[in-house]
Structure formats: structure tokens, C-alpha cells
Amino acid sequence: MWVVRWDVLAAITGMALVTYACRAGGYAVLRAVRPPPWVEMVLRHLPGCLFAAYVAPPLLALGWPGWCGAAVVVGVQVTTRNMGAAIIAGIAATWGLRLIAG
């Protein structure tokens, strides 16, 4: 039987509301005010920067098995155009190479 802890439920609800308010607030501001061209340029390049920030630390931490796994991801994605298969292949390659490397 599940027991609901009200403090945990309140914390999760509060975090969800704050997250939604931040996202909705950003959309509302950008609909009401046109940002300067340099802000639009930064926002266009932001997804690439975020991707690099998420990918670089694990690649550096995993060493050559991580880099080989990343290459497998790129290769599978280019050949199959299937993101799920690319991710699974990259994880399997990284895991297998780390297992072999000891």
C-alpha cells in the first residue's frame, strides 16, 4: 500500500509550479517584448551549448570507451536515422568496451 508523505508531495508540487512559472514567464516575456538581435542570436545557439555541456563531462570521465561509444552513436544515427537505436548502440558499445578494458 502506498503512503503519501505530505511534505514530499508539497515539495514536488512546489517544484513543479516554480518550474512551470519560469518557463511560462519566459514565453510571456518573449511574446510581449522583442529581444535585441544579439539575444536572439544567443538563444539560437543555446541548444548546441547545452548539448556540449551535458556531453563533454561524461566523455572526459569515460576516456576512450566513451569516445568510441560516441562514435558508434553518430555512426548508427547517420546510417539508420533512428535515435533510439543509436543511443542503445552507444550505451552497449561503451559498456562492452569498459568491460573489456577492465
Side-chain angles (χ1 to χ4, degrees):
M1 183 169 104
W2 289 82
V3 177
V4 176
R5 287 186 44 195
W6 296 107
D7 58 337
V8 174
L9 184 60
I12 292 171
T13 303
M15 288 185 283
L17 290 173
V18 168
T19 301
Y20 179 76
C22 289
R23 293 189 66 135
Y27 288 127
V29 167
L30 289 177
R31 289 178 94 187
V33 178
R34 179 144 173 95
W38 67 271
V39 172
E40 289 180 357
M41 181 189 65
V42 168
L43 291 175
R44 268 196 301 276
H45 294 291
L46 191 60
C49 296
L50 289 175
F51 178 75
Y54 283 123
V55 170
L59 283 178
L60 294 174
L62 291 173
W64 68 269
W67 287 100
C68 291
V72 168
V73 168
V74 171
V76 171
Q77 178 63 29
V78 167
T79 57
T80 66
R81 305 264 186 226
N82 185 334
M83 182 63 74
I87 292 171
I88 290 170
I91 291 171
T94 304
W95 181 76
L97 290 169
R98 289 185 70 193
L99 190 65
I100 291 170

